[in-house]
């Protein structure tokens, strides 16, 4: 069993695939993409050069689909995975 398999089994909620461009604001500004969402969190994909660690707080903005409004979300990084030069961040949403 791989580490990813263990993580899959520990999920608390079902995931919905949702490709959405967002902007990470903190710990550093970076463009990112939401890969999937759940009732308690999401998975973000960004460049592999971002400096982040499990336990770090993260804030990102999600633009409204039809208006010029954005929603800022804050969470805690609970998973980090590098694949093919990209960084995947599992986020437990706080607000």
């Amino acid at each position: 069993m791989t580490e990813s398999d263990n993580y899959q089994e520990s999920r608390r909620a079902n995931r919905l695939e949702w490709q959405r461009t967002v902007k990470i604001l903190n710990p550093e500004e970076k463009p990112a993409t939401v890969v999937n969402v759940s009732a308690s969190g999401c998975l973000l994909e960004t460049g592999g050069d971002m400096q982040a660690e499990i336990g770090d707080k993260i804030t990102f903005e999600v633009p409204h689909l039809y208006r010029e409004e954005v929603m800022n979300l804050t969470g805690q990084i609970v998973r980090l995975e590098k694949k093919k030069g990209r960084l995947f961040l599992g986020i437990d949403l706080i607000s």
Side-chain angles (χ1 to χ4, degrees), residues 24 26-27 44 50 56-60 73-75 77 89 91:
I24 297 172
N26 185 43
L44 299 180
M50 181 173 166
D56 285 353
K57 295 275 194 248
I58 186 168
T59 303
F60 59 100
L73 298 174
T74 301
I77 299 172
L89 306 163
I91 310 297

Side-chain angles (χ1 to χ4, degrees), residues 18-84:
W18 189 54
Q19 297 291 312
R20 184 86 166 118
T21 300
V22 298
K23 180 166 71 171
I24 297 172
L25 302 173
N26 185 43
E28 59 185 85
E29 272 197 30
K30 289 275 185 196
T33 302
V34 176
V35 176
N36 63 47
V37 295
S38 74
S40 61
C42 64
L43 180 64
L44 299 180
E45 176 185 356
T46 190
D49 61 338
M50 181 173 166
Q51 300 298 313
E53 295 185 26
I54 291 176
D56 285 353
K57 295 275 194 248
I58 186 168
T59 303
F60 59 100
E61 66 179 26
V62 180
H64 191 281
L65 191 57
Y66 303 111
R67 298 187 295 243
E68 293 190 27
E69 300 170 11
V70 297
M71 177 174 48
N72 287 346
L73 298 174
T74 301
Q76 183 172 20
I77 299 172
V78 295
R79 176 179 160 214
L80 289 173
E81 187 176 343
K82 284 194 175 188
K83 283 195 239 179
K84 300 179 183 175

